Amino acid sequence: MAEQRRSGEAGAAAHEHVLVVFPGYHRSWAAWIAQCLERHGHRATLQRWDPPREVPLEDSLGDLLLSSGKVLLVLNDWFFELGPRPPGEWNDALRGFVAAHADRFAAVNLTNRPLLPATAVLEPASLWALSEEAAEERLLSRLGLERRPRPRPLPDQIRYPDERCEIWGEVPRRNPRFTGRDDLLNQLHQRLADAERGASACTLVGMSGIGKTQLAAEYAHRFSTDYDLVWWVNSDDRNIQRDRLGELAVELGLRIGSEPGERIRAVRNALRRGEPYANWLVVFDGWDDTEGVSALLPQGTGHVLITSRNRAWSEHTDVLAIPSFLRAESTAYLMRRAPHISAAEADEVAAEFGDVPLPLVQAASWLGESGMDVAEYLRMVRERRLSTVDEPVTGEGFPRSSLTSWAILLNRLRRSQPQAIDVLSLCTSFAPGRIPLGLIRAYPRAELPEELRWMSTDLPAWTRALDTLVNYSVLTRETRGPLAAEMGPHQESVHMHRLVHDIVSKLTSEDSRDLHQRAVRTLLAEADPGNPADSRNWPRYAELLPHLEPSGALESRQPRVQELVLNCLRYCSRSGEYSGGLELAQQVRPHWSRFMDPLAQPMLDLATQESNMLRNSGRFRDAYELHRGVLDRLQAAPVRNEIGELVTKSAMASGLRNLGRYQEAYDLQREVLDGNERLLGSDEPPTLVARHNLGVGLRLLGRYAEALELDLETLGRRESVLRARHINTLNSGNAVTHSLRLLGRYRDALARQEPVVRLHVQVLGPQHPQTLEARAQLAMCRRREGGHAPEVGPTLASLLEQLIQLHGREHYRTLAFITNYGNYLREHGDLSQSRELIDEAEAGYRALLGPAHPVATGMLSNTGLVMQAAGERGEALSMFESALAGLTATLGADHPWVLGCALNAASARNLNGRIADAVELSRDTLRRARHTLGHEHPLTLSGQVALAADLRAAREHEEAGKLEDDGLLGLTRTLGAQHPHTISARQRTRPYWDFEPYLG
């Protein structure tokens, strides 16, 4: 049980030896005291003190005297409750044994609360509220030790315990009643310290109520001097978890926006680098779902601590299983909270509750507050079992007797403090974990039921009720922001353990539950910021989202609550939380369908948000079918809803574009734009969206010049109506660049996109999905422009990593970038990795879209380029011909994608000896390209150079020479003499076309 720390200066240089005796929770003070002594040339040994209650106190104190030198006791009022001991035993030992050996004992006092009277024999030196220098001087003076004029430096300086680390983020307040667990805490500390750099993560695993959160909080407090940064992340809900981890970016001074994914990435990068803090601790409390762990779990120079019920964490981190209390810990805790009970009675209570901490805490609170005899208490627990109460839903073997103990507590509070019952029942209408109770005080005008209005008007009663619940260990208070920050009642939040939430919910009457759910729904609706498009409101939506379902908001008939639900869905769509948003939408639909007309406006809005989430998740067919059903109902309705039809048709057009039905999508989108201009006007936001989407459709049809003209018009209108920094205006900037690039105007595209990306980063942050799209567009501009070759490769690799972190590898946006990076690697000689990436993307698109989709078909051309580069000429030709035939059938012979495939197929025919076929295809391709794209487009000029090569192979040198010369002049004029395409043509390297997937 002893912890040893010895200086290397034994012998002549070490004047004295001191045994520093401390309770476990004062480890940081003991370590600092030992450091002080060693700096001044003395030796120190640390001895953790928690002597067994069964051993007489004089014997335990006598064991300390076996050490040489002084015995220094590190005291506060809690020190004398260790054990605990029968009343008077400590005073007797101090007056007797300690007084007899007063020359050997000394003490320091860390509290301003009164100590036992007989403590005077120790003459404790108070270190309370002293500066580090003053505390050091008083410590040495009490021990009668010499102070060196120049204390020697030690390699690892320990922070003075009264100095909080630089960043202290929302760690729960230290539990003054925390008991035992010293060996577990030391084991945890050792595991984190001994772990390899970058992999210092440990998960505390155990059943609900076993004390994982308390253990993690005590670790953070006890070992805080080891860290410059301690950050606590409530992880019961994924949105809150991501938001809370992202808040650390602000504390670290990182210059980023408010999009959660962007903040998280910035935080993880800063922690990995150890800048500005190398010694950090991040605690994820209640992280049960390990999906997507790689995108959140920090690595680097610091430590990560996780609490979870999920043993699957063993695949990701070191795991420390948390058992029930040792019986000695159980009885010690009970006897401290309820001093009137005996050791035997404490043992009986501990056995009744299986040494599980949470029910023991409640039992101790009850016994301590009520003063009831243990026999009477246990009789009530055993005899008044509630036949109507089932086991908690956790199914983790929680002692059934605890249900009865909770029932007893609630019955007592109903009689003595009914307002506390109101608050407790209200809490069960929120989700477990963090509960923003301050909403009650923040929105006093909320229409609360008459029975609950006292909560917003009677602050003393409110405070009294909360204090009662905290004293009975039902709730714990939580802090927001800096530890010392003063908070008003409107900012107050509490934490309710999920198991307590489950049990109290079962013991709450149906009438009370309905009343309190209505109140919580009202408060949540009042707290709705009302603008989910503004990223500054996203943290509030993340806080409200978990409480929608338990409050009954999803089935509410109140329009204000329904609008809150829709705004939370819009938040999910805007912030990129697609899976969570889709799950919420699919929870809401069956509730609303039971009482709402399917064509009511909230149902139409719900369909729009659900469709957005489906489409962003890659479920294009489902999104289209959802809105096709809505349109059928709208068109069959007796009263026409033209606006509703236009919104629905717009969503259907998006679905058709995603499904590869480009002409149908364009025709429907044209109808939507005309209808919006007629009904709303040219500059209303829905009309601007329709015009933007029509440009998307034109790009997919290969009508790039028309798309650019429309994109420029939309951008101008949005800059006038919405202003330059609006998210939709930024999207129009992206669209203009895209059209310019597809037209082969690479320099113009690059010049436009650089400021567009800067604005995206300023407004949305670098990791927002739309910003990543803008940055990917910029990277492709640089690649096509040809003048930024050295920086393109690393940029593409970095962007791919970020997209994978945001969307996963199988998302359609990630697949597009995997394709582009794979094409780049092939172009620069890395055939092995290129083949892996292109194969992955081709298989991904085939699985997502089906083999007949134009994008899945076009991917065959990229596969053919890899095969051709690897010398597999026959296989490459087969791929090119398949792509050409498939795209011609779906898009027509003049589409730019078809022309690109034809360029590649002609090359493969040439390489495979089919010269006449190559000439025929190249001639037809050039004719069509000139008609579709114009004579100066890079693809047209590449087709001209390719035809010249085929004509040379057919020995038609005169025509070949003229075409080649004209082609070189055109490339030099449009792209420049040093562009890679121009240089390749000059060197008679066969041109190719790589397929760039685009779903609109």
Side-chain angles (χ1 to χ4, degrees), residues 81 200 797 846:
E81 295 191 36
S200 301
R846 194 165 54 247

Side-chain angles (χ1 to χ4, degrees), residues 427-445:
C427 287
T428 64
S429 295
F430 289 92
R434 175 188 293 282
I435 296 175
L437 276 184
L439 295 179
I440 296 165
R441 310 293 308 177
Y443 300 103
R445 293 183 301 278

Side-chain angles (χ1 to χ4, degrees), residues 158-221:
I158 295 172
R159 182 185 291 104
Y160 183 51
D162 259 6
E163 292 179 5
R164 181 66 72 193
C165 56
E166 296 290 326
I167 295 178
W168 183 256
E170 212 167 306
V171 180
R173 295 175 183 176
R174 195 169 194 179
N175 181 2
R177 299 183 177 115
F178 185 88
T179 191
R181 303 293 204 182
D182 282 341
D183 290 335
L184 271 175
L185 285 162
N186 288 330
Q187 184 182 352
L188 173 60
H189 183 255
Q190 199 62 47
R191 285 195 185 193
L192 289 173
D194 292 345
E196 293 182 10
R197 177 187 170 92
S200 301
C202 187
T203 303
L204 306 180
V205 174
M207 62 179 277
S208 291
I210 206 67
K212 303 182 294 294
T213 298
Q214 288 292 321
L215 196 65
E218 178 62 22
Y219 178 90
H221 285 278

Side-chain angles (χ1 to χ4, degrees), residues 139-158:
L139 167 71
L140 294 172
S141 173
R142 174 61 188 89
L143 292 169
L145 299 177
E146 178 183 342
R147 179 185 176 93
R148 281 187 172 186
R150 295 179 182 172
R152 67 188 181 92
L154 296 176
D156 297 316
Q157 287 289 106
I158 295 172

